[in-house]
Every structure is written in C-alpha cells, then in structure tokens.
Amino acid sequence: METRHLLSIKDLSKEDITLILDTANGFRDVLKRDIKKVPTLRGKTVVNLFYEPSTRTRTSFELAAKRLSTDVINFSVTTSSVVKGESLIDTAKTIQALGADFVVVRHSSSGVPHLLSEQIDASIINAGDGINEHPTQALLDAFTIRDKKGQIEGLKVAIVGDILHSRVAKSNIPCLRKLGAEVRLIGPPTLVPEGFAKEGIRIYYSMEEGIVDVDVVMMLRIQLERQDRGFFPTVDEYFRLWGLTEERLSLAKSDAIVMHPGPMNRGVEIDSLVADSEKAVILDQVTNGIAVRMAVLYLLGGRG
Ligand code: CP
C-alpha cells in the first residue's frame, strides 16, 4: 500500500482493500494455531490513544498488536495529564517522544487523526473520529461479508438506522461500493442525509420496502449521545418503524446475514431474537477484527 496512515477508506483503492482482506485471511490462520503469535513487528510500539469509550476496537487493536509481537501502551485519557488540560497535540508529541511507531486514535471530533498525521511521525490509524469515519470497522465488516458470502461484488447490502451520526456507515458505504456491492440506506428522513442520493445510492424511509431481497442487513446503533435534538419521537416509535424483527428480516433473502458493529441497543434498533439468531454474524465481526487489524498494522509497517 502507498499510504503510511489509515485515516479514511476514501484513501484506499479497491486493490488496497483486497490486499488488506487477503492479508487478514493469512493472519486468521495464525490465530487458529496453538501459538497465536508471530515476530513480524517485534521492536515496534503501538499506542492506543482513546478519547472516547471502546470495548471492541481498543481490545482488538491491543490483541492484534500483541499477536504481532509489538509493545503496546494503552493510554487512558481519564488517568493522564489530559485531565490537567494538556492539549491533544502536546499529548501526541509526548507519545511520539516516547517512541511510538503507531498511534491508534479515537476522538469525538471529526478530523483528529488527520491533524495528528500532520503533527507527528508515527503511523496514525483512525479508530473512529466523531461522525466522520471508522475505517477498520468497515474493513472487518467487508472481511466478514466476504467470508460468509464468498464475494462482495453484486451483493445487496442494506445499512439501517442512524446514518447521519454513524462513522461506521460513512466508512462502510465507500468500502462496499468500491468492492462492487449495491448499498441501500434505510432510516427516518431525519437520520439519512439526502446527499447520498446524489451519489446514486437508493434511500428508503420504509424498512419493509428497503429490506426486500437484500443479502446483508447491517444495523446501526442509535447514537443518542450525538443527538442534540429529537430526530424521532421515542425509542419505542423508532423500534416500531425501523427496528429489525424476525418478521421484517423474513423480507430479505432467505440466506441473508445480520450485522451490527456494536454496542447494540436491544429493543431499540434490533430485536434480541434476531441479534441472537443463527443469521447474526455479530460476534464473527468482533473475532475477525483482530486479524484485520493485524493486517492493517503489518501493511502500514509503522514509522520508518
Ligand atoms: N464497533 C465499535 O467501534 O465498537 P467499540 O465502540 O466497542 O469499539
């Protein structure tokens, strides 16, 4: 790959994405061995710099880095000098001075990973910036779809819910389209930006219409923490109109898979019966995240 950072899916070509997925396939085999560790990045240092909570992304980056034999530092904002007022750039430069080769950053403000990539030498990996992008989530989602369906080209993928605030959707839409999928967006008019229609993406405000005949249903979390006003009347109303139930899922293809990046709001965007069904690949997404993040670290190579 040409790039030293992973800031946005938009910076990756179809060939780059395919290389990452193929490389992740090899690492997945490593993760099935008794000794799940390779010396590939021994001597390198990965710093997880998370300004927002995370369960899946932070732990899977940590495991991925450890499986590649790097040293890993988990930087906790709440116990750092950030609480004394240290700026983002000063914090990042301090981490650089400690010898970080990779900085995996999550922040509530869009653009922070891009800013850091201009300020420090380490390879920057975007682990979610505001409502902008979450590129490694899209890569692990593409890996999971390809694994379950054999290919992505020609598949119909419905992305459902809070598209407006979802960095997962903003990375998945270009990723899946580059790989040849037909992407549909489903949700209330207040949460699906009309601008996507100009890019040739079909928008459905009715779940029953949008979900018909799709191969993949990708549910999104309703991000109440990013909603500064009422985008829908109540969560009960939201579930009634756009929640994924078994009845609605029966309108998709009979072998359709159900995805969710987590964390899930059961009973808000997805019924527990669906979330725990055989069609759900939600925990496979989590498992695949380790191999995909190993591939990203390996292909970026780190500073120098
Ligand atoms: N999918 C995802 O980003 O989950 P976390 O917030 O737990 O990392």
Side-chain angles (χ1 to χ4, degrees), residues 36-274:
K36 302 175 175 59
K37 206 161 180 164
V38 285
T40 317
L41 291 180
R42 188 153 53 200
K44 301 271 184 186
T45 302
V46 176
V47 175
N48 283 322
L49 179 60
F50 278 60
Y51 283 81
E52 274 195 335
S54 168
T55 299
R56 284 145 282 264
T57 311
R58 199 197 60 71
T59 47
S60 80
F61 262 115
E62 181 175 353
L63 264 179
K66 286 180 171 168
R67 301 291 188 233
L68 292 168
S69 303
T70 72
D71 296 315
V72 188
I73 296 167
N74 290 310
F75 180 91
S76 168
V77 168
T78 49
T79 56
S80 74
S81 289
V82 169
V83 293
K84 299 181 201 162
E86 187 163 59
S87 75
L88 169 74
I89 298 297
D90 285 337
T91 302
K93 286 187 173 167
T94 302
I95 286 169
Q96 177 72 66
L98 291 169
D101 297 287
F102 300 88
V103 176
V104 180
V105 61
R106 171 172 288 190
H107 202 284
S108 57
S109 295
S110 301
V112 160
H114 299 72
L115 180 68
L116 291 188
S117 71
E118 290 164 3
Q119 296 285 335
I120 62 175
D121 294 336
S123 286
I124 306 296
I125 301 175
N126 182 356
D129 63 326
I131 62 167
N132 182 39
E133 279 218 39
H134 191 349
T136 58
Q137 179 69 43
L139 292 167
L140 73 88
D141 289 343
F143 182 92
T144 305
I145 295 172
R146 197 178 74 163
D147 188 48
K148 296 288 175 190
K149 294 286 175 191
Q151 60 171 47
I152 293 179
E153 177 98 41
L155 293 182
K156 293 188 178 80
V157 181
I159 303 180
V160 186
D162 187 354
I163 314 284
L164 180 66
H165 300 101
S166 173
R167 51 200 181 200
V168 173
K170 309 283 174 37
S171 284
N172 257 300
I173 293 166
C175 184
L176 290 168
R177 295 186 90 205
K178 281 180 192 205
L179 296 173
E182 179 200 309
V183 175
R184 307 172 175 190
L185 304 179
I186 307 174
T190 47
L191 291 175
V192 185
E194 276 179 26
F196 283 113
K198 293 197 190 94
E199 296 176 31
I201 299 172
R202 291 177 76 174
I203 294 176
Y204 295 84
Y205 300 123
S206 156
M207 182 73 159
E208 283 75 10
E209 285 176 21
I211 202 172
V212 168
D213 211 26
V214 299
D215 300 277
V216 178
V217 186
M218 186 181 289
M219 301 306 295
L220 298 174
R221 183 171 70 86
I222 286 294
Q223 304 199 24
L224 293 171
E225 77 277 18
R226 296 191 210 278
Q227 297 186 11
D228 54 2
R229 61 188 165 92
F231 287 86
F232 48 86
T234 64
V235 289
D236 288 347
E237 176 86 346
Y238 183 87
F239 183 72
R240 199 174 61 75
L241 291 173
W242 291 284
L244 185 62
T245 57
E246 286 185 314
E247 195 181 357
R248 288 196 173 120
L249 184 56
S250 70
L251 300 170
K253 285 208 177 119
S254 59
D255 61 351
I257 57 170
V258 175
M259 308 181 78
H260 194 303
M264 283 186 281
N265 293 311
R266 290 170 183 259
V268 178
E269 67 258 358
I270 188 166
D271 192 324
S272 273
L273 288 174
V274 176

